[in-house]
Amino acid sequence: MTINIEAVATRSGESAIAKAEACVIVIFGATGDLTKRKLMPALCHLARQGALAEATLIIGVDREPVDTDAFRESMQAAVREAKGEQLFDAGEWCHFEQKLNYFACDLKEPGRYAGLAARIQELNGGALGNRLYYCATPPTLVAPIIDGIGVAGLADETAGWARIIIEKPFGRDLASAQALSDYVAGVFLEHQIYRIDHYLGKETVQNILVFRFGNALFEPVWNRNHIDYVEITAAETLGIGHRGGYYEEAGALRDMVTNHLMQLLALIAMEPPIAFDADAVRDKKIQVWRTIKPMTAAEVAEKTVRGQYGSGQIEGHAVPGYREESSVASDSNTETYVAAEFRIENWRWAGVPFYLRTGKRLARGVTELAVHFKRPPQPLFAGKTEFIEPNVIALRIHPNEGIDIRFDAKQPGSEMQTASVHMDFRYQQAFNMRIPEAYETLLLDALCGDATLFTRRDGVEAQWRLIDPILAAWRQQPSDAFPNYAAGSEGPKAADELLARNGHQWRLLDSQLTNTPQTGATK
Ligand code: BG6
């Protein structure tokens, strides 16, 4: 697969960016939330940066019987809202909207896709040309879209490349993910399929690899000899909003763990790839998932914790419990919180617990990976009953994007007393430029044919192999403790006990990291 990337200079304050070949971008689900909140603002920004070729066309496809003018208007409103009135540039929009077109079509009707093919050709000077399809739809529509594309011959690559981006969740379990992959493979070849996980498009997530493999300092200590345990947290203050219907079916395990958290786990634990290319990187990540043994039912009971939020306070405002949210059953057993301990059984990591936690309506929105180092072997500077605080490297994905390293320093004074201090790298300060949105990065990668940040079929399946036994054990034994954490709290108590058994502790969500030294060598 050739990757066609040509660097172009951009406006000041932004880094050089690849330039994609001209193509037709077809968005299925063009009137939906994802298109409005993420895809349109991202495409508009890419156009502004000069990353889209002038001849690029965007065709929104959906059921709504509107025309191109009405579609452009509603996309303009969406981009205004997403960017904020102050950043919205009307002149730029006028230029961008010339690319936008709309094709009304029942996505479930394969017969209608011939009309779409004709529309693409009509707009594209008679040729199908290069095509990027984006399924920005609920999962149930993916199969009918694939059918339609197949029937109309729209996956054919003789007239130009054709790629399809498919949103998560990719299946509901291993069997359905395999069935979906087989289905998609009936129309597209694997190199044409881009399974998207937006976490991989985040700058700070990509920086995990640069931090580990672009520096000689950290890799020698990145193993069980020096690391005590690793925490991976994706905590949100948000509830499920209007997504109750989807969330009831998904739950936190499918929604966050089988993709975002598993990806973070792979990046923090993988071996160095032989090259920074799509297959080399993905091979190493898949090795991590394969090195974890799927849990038995007894291990699920011991090493996982599920939770569901009850009512509580978020930022001083009363919020309802999950069971009171719209489209949620009043006796719902869906989990809105998961904590789990995984063990990677290889030479590098044997004996090191990797703790994952994610939840809605928690005390603070924070996504980070915290690598906890072992204590120094000799407590040279500590008093008789005290220990030196171990080192922690925290890779902050969001907010305050950056990296914090905690180490001990001598507290000024006549006594040999230590204090924990922080070395804090902040993206915004260091680079003083706008951090690209994940969808900008991923759309541009797909347009350029770079699949490094997308999930391969075997990767999806390797993740489900770890999740399936948890789903099965939970299904077998619904929780009788829900709701078991209050909105605005740190999560269920049982999650603390999960770590306490190994003498470990979660970092408090509700504490902001600062550079203020924490004095005294404490236990
Ligand atoms: C999505 C989940 O994939 O990721 C949401 O479906 C979640 O439930 C979101 O809120 C979190 O993404 P981010 O980028 O806001 O951390």
Side-chain angles (χ1 to χ4, degrees):
M1 164 89 354
T2 10
I3 298 178
N4 212 323
I5 301 179
E6 176 196 329
V8 292
T10 59
R11 295 159 194 240
S12 61
E14 288 175 353
S15 52
I17 193 165
K19 181 162 182 168
E21 290 176 284
C23 71
V24 182
I25 301 171
V26 180
I27 303 177
F28 298 105
T31 59
D33 205 43
L34 179 67
T35 307
K36 288 182 178 156
R37 283 192 312 110
K38 300 289 182 188
L39 305 184
M40 265 318 144
L43 287 168
C44 184
H45 195 83
L46 288 173
R48 169 190 186 271
Q49 285 178 301
L52 302 185
E54 203 45 46
T56 300
L57 289 167
I58 300 168
I59 305 180
V61 184
D62 219 329
R63 235 174 36 176
E64 313 294 315
V66 295
D67 61 11
T68 288
D69 285 342
F71 178 64
R72 287 179 179 176
E73 237 171 76
S74 78
M75 291 302 119
Q76 178 181 163
V79 172
R80 263 181 199 278
E81 194 180 328
K83 276 180 176 274
E85 226 21 83
Q86 282 189 329
L87 292 179
F88 182 81
D89 182 328
E92 252 163 36
W93 176 262
C94 282
H95 184 69
F96 173 73
E97 75 168 8
Q98 302 307 313
K99 300 184 187 308
L100 292 186
N101 299 276
Y102 186 76
F103 181 73
C105 160
D106 182 347
L107 300 175
K108 289 190 193 141
E109 258 311 317
R112 293 283 288 124
Y113 287 68
L116 173 61
R119 187 67 187 277
I120 294 175
Q121 284 167 315
E122 175 200 326
L123 290 167
N124 204 29
L128 279 180
N130 298 325
R131 277 141 292 139
L132 177 69
Y133 304 106
Y134 200 122
C135 285
T137 60
T140 47
L141 286 176
V142 174
I145 291 170
I146 299 293
D147 283 343
I149 290 177
V151 168
L154 282 169
D156 190 273
E157 290 203 292
T158 40
W161 52 255
R163 301 174 189 140
I164 184 159
I165 301 183
I166 302 179
E167 271 288 335
K168 70 165 258 280
F170 204 81
R172 295 183 43 76
D173 51 21
L174 179 59
S176 57
Q178 283 171 329
L180 179 57
S181 281
D182 288 343
Y183 205 82
V184 179
V187 172
F188 287 97
L189 297 172
E190 182 63 27
H191 78 264
Q192 297 177 283
I193 307 168
Y194 289 67
R195 297 175 192 83
I196 195 166
D197 178 327
H198 80 276
Y199 261 49
L200 294 179
K202 292 178 188 255
E203 286 290 313
T204 39
V205 171
Q206 294 174 60
N207 190 48
I208 298 171
L209 290 188
V210 178
F211 181 77
R212 290 191 54 202
F213 305 130
N215 297 295
L217 194 56
F218 307 108
E219 205 45 28
V221 293
W222 216 253
N223 56 54
R224 66 196 181 95
N225 298 325
H226 301 278
I227 292 176
D228 192 12
Y229 66 102
V230 178
E231 262 182 84
I232 302 178
T233 297
E236 297 178 272
T237 51
L238 294 175
I240 45 119
H242 56 273
R243 298 167 76 217
Y246 154 77
Y247 203 84
E248 276 283 87
E249 291 297 312
L253 188 63
R254 287 193 182 92
D255 186 47
M256 291 294 288
V257 183
T258 328
N259 35 69
H260 306 331
L261 267 66
M262 280 289 161
Q263 291 289 353
L264 296 180
L265 171 73
L267 292 170
I268 204 79
M270 68 192 262
E271 296 300 320
I274 51 165
F276 189 63
D277 67 41
D279 279 327
V281 172
R282 295 188 295 182
D283 286 347
K284 292 297 179 193
K285 289 202 311 196
I286 291 167
Q287 258 176 25
V288 173
W289 299 319
R290 289 202 175 137
T291 324
I292 301 173
K293 273 207 215 93
M295 293 185 198
T296 60
E299 284 167 337
V300 173
E302 192 191 330
K303 292 174 184 292
T304 69
V305 172
R306 55 192 148 151
Q308 188 191 75
Y309 62 85
S311 56
Q313 297 262 327
I314 296 278
E315 284 149 18
H317 299 287
V319 295
Y322 177 69
R323 289 177 177 179
E324 283 98 58
E325 303 274 17
S326 76
S327 311
V328 171
S330 56
D331 59 350
S332 171
N333 212 265
T334 300
E335 79 287 351
T336 59
Y337 178 100
V338 179
E341 174 188 331
F342 289 99
R343 298 279 177 147
I344 299 171
E345 307 289 349
N346 64 13
W347 277 64
R348 187 193 280 263
W349 294 119
V352 179
F354 284 76
Y355 304 112
L356 273 51
R357 67 174 160 168
T358 182
K360 303 273 184 205
R361 287 283 190 230
L362 290 170
R364 197 163 73 90
V366 51
T367 305
E368 69 165 27
L369 300 96
V371 178
H372 295 252
F373 285 80
K374 294 185 172 171
R375 291 181 192 282
Q378 185 191 8
L380 193 58
F381 304 114
K384 277 208 183 79
T385 57
E386 294 166 331
F387 292 97
I388 301 273
E389 284 281 357
N391 300 121
V392 177
I393 298 182
L395 297 119
R396 290 193 306 265
I397 306 301
H398 181 80
N400 303 330
E401 288 80 355
I403 296 171
D404 176 274
I405 302 183
R406 182 175 83 185
F407 60 101
D408 269 62
K410 182 183 176 306
Q411 212 184 311
S414 56
E415 304 224 339
M416 188 51 98
Q417 240 205 323
T418 64
S420 273
V421 293
H422 295 266
M423 248 177 355
D424 195 6
F425 152 71
R426 292 190 183 225
Y427 259 86
Q428 203 57 58
Q429 267 171 14
F431 295 110
N432 193 24
M433 58 170 67
R434 174 184 175 273
I435 298 178
E437 285 285 331
Y439 278 94
E440 288 165 24
T441 305
L442 293 171
L443 275 165
L444 186 54
D445 280 2
L447 287 166
C448 292
D450 183 353
T452 311
L453 301 178
F454 293 83
T455 314
R456 222 167 47 191
R457 174 180 180 152
D458 46 354
V460 170
E461 293 175 6
Q463 293 182 43
W464 280 119
R465 278 195 186 89
L466 301 176
I467 300 302
D468 265 12
I470 306 178
L471 287 170
W474 285 359
R475 203 169 35 238
Q476 199 74 33
Q477 200 145 43
S479 169
D480 51 13
F482 286 173
N484 58 351
Y485 71 99
S489 71
E490 294 275 328
K493 280 265 167 303
D496 296 337
E497 289 152 18
L498 177 74
L499 270 67
R501 278 203 295 260
N502 300 327
H504 298 148
Q505 213 177 326
W506 296 110
R507 282 152 65 83
L508 272 184
L509 297 175
D510 207 11
S511 67
Q512 292 281 350
L513 275 175
T514 65
N515 283 327
T516 321
Q518 291 158 15
T519 53
T522 49
K523 200 168 164 135

